Short mmCIF file of all heavy atoms in Angstrom, two decimals:
data_model
loop_
_atom_site.label_atom_id
_atom_site.label_comp_id
_atom_site.label_asym_id
_atom_site.label_seq_id
_atom_site.Cartn_x
_atom_site.Cartn_y
_atom_site.Cartn_z
N ALA A 43 1.42 14.98 1.86
CA ALA A 43 2.06 16.29 1.72
C ALA A 43 3.45 16.19 2.33
O ALA A 43 3.74 15.25 3.08
CB ALA A 43 1.24 17.37 2.41
N LEU A 44 4.30 17.16 2.00
CA LEU A 44 5.63 17.21 2.57
C LEU A 44 5.77 18.53 3.33
O LEU A 44 4.97 19.45 3.15
CB LEU A 44 6.70 17.11 1.48
CG LEU A 44 6.76 15.76 0.75
CD1 LEU A 44 5.87 15.77 -0.47
CD2 LEU A 44 8.19 15.42 0.35
N ASN A 45 6.80 18.62 4.15
CA ASN A 45 6.98 19.80 4.98
C ASN A 45 8.45 20.18 5.06
O ASN A 45 9.32 19.32 5.13
CB ASN A 45 6.45 19.53 6.39
CG ASN A 45 6.51 20.77 7.27
OD1 ASN A 45 5.89 21.77 6.96
ND2 ASN A 45 7.25 20.69 8.37
N ARG A 46 8.70 21.49 5.03
CA ARG A 46 10.04 22.01 5.33
C ARG A 46 10.00 22.54 6.76
O ARG A 46 9.24 23.47 7.06
CB ARG A 46 10.43 23.11 4.35
CG ARG A 46 10.56 22.61 2.92
CD ARG A 46 11.10 23.68 2.00
NE ARG A 46 12.50 23.98 2.28
CZ ARG A 46 13.26 24.77 1.52
NH1 ARG A 46 12.75 25.34 0.44
NH2 ARG A 46 14.52 25.00 1.84
N PRO A 47 10.79 21.97 7.66
CA PRO A 47 10.63 22.26 9.09
C PRO A 47 11.41 23.47 9.59
O PRO A 47 11.90 23.48 10.73
CB PRO A 47 11.14 20.98 9.74
CG PRO A 47 12.24 20.54 8.82
CD PRO A 47 11.76 20.89 7.43
N GLY A 48 11.52 24.51 8.76
CA GLY A 48 12.32 25.66 9.16
C GLY A 48 11.87 26.30 10.46
O GLY A 48 12.68 26.54 11.37
N ALA A 50 9.99 25.00 12.80
CA ALA A 50 10.14 24.06 13.91
C ALA A 50 11.58 24.00 14.39
O ALA A 50 11.85 23.94 15.60
CB ALA A 50 9.66 22.68 13.48
N PHE A 58 3.63 22.45 13.99
CA PHE A 58 4.55 21.61 13.24
C PHE A 58 3.83 20.39 12.67
O PHE A 58 3.16 19.65 13.40
CB PHE A 58 5.71 21.17 14.14
CG PHE A 58 6.64 20.19 13.51
CD1 PHE A 58 7.20 20.44 12.26
CD2 PHE A 58 6.96 19.00 14.15
CE1 PHE A 58 8.06 19.53 11.67
CE2 PHE A 58 7.82 18.09 13.57
CZ PHE A 58 8.37 18.36 12.32
N ALA A 59 3.97 20.16 11.38
CA ALA A 59 3.30 19.05 10.69
C ALA A 59 4.15 17.78 10.83
O ALA A 59 4.82 17.34 9.90
CB ALA A 59 3.09 19.40 9.22
N ASN A 60 4.08 17.18 12.00
CA ASN A 60 4.98 16.06 12.30
C ASN A 60 4.57 14.75 11.64
O ASN A 60 5.32 13.77 11.69
CB ASN A 60 5.05 15.85 13.82
CG ASN A 60 3.72 15.42 14.41
OD1 ASN A 60 2.69 16.04 14.14
ND2 ASN A 60 3.73 14.37 15.20
N ARG A 62 4.11 14.51 8.42
CA ARG A 62 4.54 14.60 7.03
C ARG A 62 6.02 14.27 6.88
O ARG A 62 6.80 14.41 7.82
CB ARG A 62 4.30 16.02 6.49
CG ARG A 62 2.84 16.43 6.51
CD ARG A 62 2.67 17.84 5.97
NE ARG A 62 1.26 18.25 6.01
CZ ARG A 62 0.82 19.43 5.61
NH1 ARG A 62 1.68 20.34 5.15
NH2 ARG A 62 -0.47 19.71 5.67
N ILE A 63 6.40 13.85 5.69
CA ILE A 63 7.81 13.68 5.37
C ILE A 63 8.48 15.06 5.44
O ILE A 63 7.96 16.04 4.90
CB ILE A 63 7.97 13.08 3.96
CG1 ILE A 63 7.45 11.64 3.93
CG2 ILE A 63 9.43 13.12 3.51
CD1 ILE A 63 7.44 11.03 2.55
N GLN A 64 9.61 15.13 6.12
CA GLN A 64 10.31 16.40 6.30
C GLN A 64 11.45 16.53 5.29
O GLN A 64 12.22 15.58 5.10
CB GLN A 64 10.88 16.49 7.72
CG GLN A 64 9.84 16.29 8.81
CD GLN A 64 8.74 17.33 8.79
OE1 GLN A 64 9.01 18.53 8.67
NE2 GLN A 64 7.49 16.89 8.90
N VAL A 65 11.53 17.68 4.65
CA VAL A 65 12.55 17.93 3.63
C VAL A 65 13.53 18.98 4.15
O VAL A 65 13.13 20.09 4.51
CB VAL A 65 11.91 18.40 2.31
CG1 VAL A 65 12.99 18.60 1.25
CG2 VAL A 65 10.86 17.40 1.84
N LEU A 66 14.79 18.61 4.19
CA LEU A 66 15.84 19.53 4.64
C LEU A 66 16.57 20.07 3.42
O LEU A 66 17.32 19.36 2.76
CB LEU A 66 16.81 18.82 5.58
CG LEU A 66 16.20 18.26 6.88
CD1 LEU A 66 17.29 17.59 7.72
CD2 LEU A 66 15.52 19.36 7.68
N MET A 129 9.85 18.71 -3.96
CA MET A 129 8.59 18.75 -3.21
C MET A 129 7.38 18.72 -4.14
O MET A 129 6.38 18.05 -3.85
CB MET A 129 8.56 19.98 -2.30
CG MET A 129 9.57 19.91 -1.18
SD MET A 129 9.38 21.20 0.06
CE MET A 129 7.84 20.72 0.85
#
Side-chain angles (χ1 to χ4, degrees):
L44 294 91
N45 185 60
R46 295 187 69 172
F58 174 52
N60 65 310
R62 299 179 181 180
I63 293 174
Q64 305 298 314
V65 182
L66 298 180
M129 292 189 69

